Amino acid sequence: MAIASINPATGETLRNFSALSAEQIEQKLQLAADTFHTYRHTSFVDRARLMLRTAEILETEKQNLGKLMTLEMGKPLKAAVGEAEKCAWVCRYYAEHAEHHLADQLVETNAKKSYVKFQPLGPVLAVMPWNFPFWQVFRFAGPALMAGNTGLLKHASNVPQCALAIEEIFVRAGFPHGAFQSLLIGSDAVEGILNDVRVVAATLTGSEPAGRSVASIAGKQIKKTVLELGGSDPFIVMPSADLKAAVTTAVKARTINNGQSCIAAKRFIVAAEIYDEFERRFVEEMKALRVGDPLDESVEIGPLATPQICDDLVEQVEKAVAAGARVLTGGRKLDGPGNFYEPTVLVDVDPAAPISCEEIFGPVAMLFRVTNIDEAIRLANATPFGLGSAAWTNDANEQRRFVEEIEAGAVFINGMVASDPRLPFGGVKTSGYGRELAEFGIREFVNIKTVWIG
Ligand code: NAP
């Protein structure tokens, strides 16, 4: 199984790695289990000290870590440095709040004393994607380690250097050997690990097929899973919205991370009264984006992470056009080395066409015109996904309806969907189940134990 680090901006192979042997995997699983038996008894104060040290390393070394992310998966350097900073934030958040989130909860019953106790579960497998190669891992590892679990990371095969760098950060922060390990393995090795009795639970952030596979294997073993899968988030703009701010935010929400974010806005649903003006400004701002070398600080859109993602995008857009969509700007892969795709705007897309229901992982936006709020909500919900959603309106009644009626794990009014350690994150429908972040995230991988003393 090839695990390679390839610069998506140039196609240059940076490093090749061999996948772990069965014997090496066995050693790492045993280490995770052995470490758990002692690590679970450490205090919150001790764990917090290590987590704060982790945050310090991330902050001090954010430039180098950011460069590593950019070289391996192509996100603009500024965003990559920001990602390292955000990882430090989640480490600090859980260092400060884990003890409170997992404190015993007294409950009045007919017992002399009854309460709820939260205890760690054991080694948890995290199967993670390349698109936020640090953030996705830290938002799992921060709470999981603070809760007293040990972590095993199977990172995406195109970001092995990030995987190794993350393990090294936890080791240097002082976490015990085996508290967090990166396994350089292909996805074919996941089933064996999930079937292993020492691995007690799994979390997967990635595509729907990967989620189905991991959940079904874990389901057969009756092991808890959290799934953070894809999305096709709606971004609705109503007549009362601040149009200028809505357009600028819409462009950012579609193109952040080179268009490869689960919570990127992918379908723009705009009220007829303001549609023409929105379309004109949106196309203008998409056209103005600078595409190029992600290490260049002035570049806004870097390459797609792999040639396959670029090919998939080319095919999705071609099929949409063949089915009647019109391209207002962009619509093609750029010539030359690297996986660059032009910022693209599609209109006249049939809401029932495959592209409307699939996830588009790249800088391609679809605009839809609607005549009223009922139509906007209907279209917003006409997707198998239910991750995030954004609605722009200054009408209180409309705001209330969007909050109540949109089928998604998050509704952002007059803003763009973003993750925040203080707020839960996750989806409904085929976007997955379970939650990360806040007190909800740290309670996913614990035994919520009822204690009753008569
Ligand atoms: P992916 O192909 O599903 O890969 C994600 C991870 O799953 C990788 O480590 C991959 O390993 C592994 N994997 C793939 N197929 C597997 C299988 N059958 N069994 C076990 N493991 C398997 O997704 P991606 O292309 O890396 O990431 C993009 C997807 O992630 C998008 O759908 C995006 O929306 C989603 N995402 C969701 C969230 C969220 O919070 N909801 C956040 C970020 C991304 P290999 O690399 O070795 O194949």
Side-chain angles (χ1 to χ4, degrees):
M1 169 77 209
I3 298 179
S5 194
I6 298 171
N7 182 345
T10 61
E12 178 200 357
T13 299
L14 305 170
R15 277 184 76 180
N16 278 311
F17 297 85
S18 325
L20 295 180
S21 65
E23 196 185 348
Q24 288 169 316
I25 295 174
E26 162 57 33
Q27 283 166 359
K28 286 179 185 281
L29 294 189
Q30 191 55 43
L31 180 60
D34 291 344
T35 304
F36 173 66
H37 288 302
T38 45
Y39 180 67
R40 66 175 302 175
H41 298 299
T42 55
S43 67
F44 281 109
V45 172
D46 283 345
R47 291 177 209 157
R49 188 174 41 77
L50 302 178
M51 203 49 85
L52 290 174
R53 176 75 193 117
T54 307
E56 276 168 24
I57 296 173
L58 285 160
E59 277 157 357
T60 313
E61 299 176 17
K62 63 185 180 187
Q63 287 297 338
N64 284 344
L65 297 172
K67 191 167 174 201
L68 180 62
M69 291 181 228
T70 298
L71 286 174
E72 264 197 330
M73 54 66 66
K75 73 174 62 202
L77 182 61
K78 203 166 136 204
V81 172
E83 185 167 331
E85 283 171 347
K86 193 166 175 181
C87 293
W89 182 20
V90 81
C91 291
R92 287 188 190 284
Y93 172 83
Y94 280 110
E96 284 162 22
H97 294 90
E99 185 166 11
H100 173 71
H101 291 331
L102 298 181
D104 292 351
Q105 289 183 357
L106 281 173
V107 182
E108 291 288 327
T109 66
N110 57 340
K112 275 193 193 127
K113 183 178 179 185
S114 51
Y115 60 100
V116 181
K117 185 167 187 61
F118 301 95
Q119 291 184 308
L121 288 181
V124 180
L125 175 68
V127 182
M128 290 289 150
W130 47 265
N131 63 341
F132 292 93
F134 269 57
W135 171 241
Q136 301 295 349
V137 176
F138 276 91
R139 77 184 193 184
F140 152 72
L145 296 186
M146 279 307 299
N149 298 297
T150 54
L152 290 160
L153 168 66
K154 180 271 176 275
H155 216 326
S157 295
N158 57 326
V159 287
Q161 297 199 76
C162 288
L164 294 176
I166 293 168
E167 179 182 276
E168 198 194 312
I169 289 168
F170 283 116
V171 170
R172 283 167 53 212
F175 278 93
H177 194 46
F180 181 93
Q181 299 175 83
S182 289
L183 310 178
L184 292 191
I185 51 173
S187 55
D188 53 341
V190 168
E191 180 163 9
I193 293 171
L194 277 173
N195 285 334
D196 191 290
V197 70
R198 289 165 292 192
V199 174
V200 296
T203 180
L204 178 135
T205 300
S207 61
E208 198 188 321
R212 285 185 196 282
S213 170
V214 163
S216 61
I217 299 162
K220 280 194 200 126
Q221 299 295 338
I222 325 218
K223 290 181 184 174
K224 170 91 183 262
T225 47
V226 167
L227 298 182
E228 296 284 0
L229 309 179
S232 183
D233 288 8
F235 187 108
I236 303 165
V237 189
M238 299 301 285
S240 64
D242 174 341
L243 193 61
K244 186 169 180 290
V247 170
T248 302
T249 309
V251 169
K252 188 172 168 205
R254 173 59 283 200
T255 57
I256 190 164
N257 212 36
N258 308 338
Q260 306 160 116
S261 169
C262 53
I263 47 169
K266 289 162 189 151
R267 297 172 299 133
F268 297 85
I269 299 167
V270 185
E273 295 91 320
I274 51 161
Y275 178 88
D276 290 339
E277 187 58 13
F278 180 91
E279 180 189 284
R280 188 186 65 72
R281 293 188 192 201
F282 186 83
V283 170
E284 205 172 273
E285 291 197 25
M286 286 288 276
K287 267 186 182 158
L289 291 169
R290 278 204 64 194
V291 181
D293 177 3
L295 288 172
D296 176 341
E297 295 265 359
S298 66
V299 159
E300 290 151 309
I301 309 273
L304 298 168
T306 65
Q308 184 64 52
I309 294 162
C310 204
D311 292 347
D312 290 348
L313 195 59
V314 168
E315 194 183 323
Q316 270 180 314
V317 172
E318 277 175 6
K319 277 190 183 159
V321 170
R326 270 188 308 128
V327 177
L328 296 189
T329 184
R332 53 174 208 108
K333 179 184 185 306
L334 294 179
D335 296 333
N339 319 317
F340 293 95
Y341 195 90
E342 289 177 323
T344 297
V345 181
L346 298 178
V347 293
D348 298 344
V349 178
D350 178 354
I355 197 168
S356 302
C357 311
E358 297 163 357
E359 183 173 35
I360 305 181
F361 233 49
V364 177
M366 293 181 288
L367 308 190
F368 299 92
R369 184 195 298 257
V370 288
T371 50
N372 57 46
I373 187 168
D374 294 319
E375 199 184 339
I377 292 172
R378 211 167 33 244
L379 191 52
N381 290 337
T383 164
F385 295 111
L387 195 53
S389 61
W392 284 66
T393 170
N394 285 308
D395 178 306
N397 189 43
E398 287 179 355
Q399 291 184 355
R400 187 192 52 76
R401 285 202 58 192
F402 289 129
V403 169
E404 288 288 331
E405 297 178 40
I406 292 185
E407 299 161 359
V411 181
F412 279 58
I413 303 290
N414 296 333
M416 71 178 251
V417 183
S419 55
D420 179 322
R422 299 161 296 185
L423 292 168
F425 186 98
V428 295
K429 297 160 76 176
T430 57
S431 290
Y433 52 73
R435 290 293 178 266
E436 293 191 290
L437 302 176
E439 69 264 42
F440 304 93
I442 199 166
R443 291 193 189 143
E444 289 288 3
F445 296 118
V446 289
N447 175 10
I448 302 175
K449 187 184 264 181
T450 294
V451 181
W452 192 96
I453 300 169

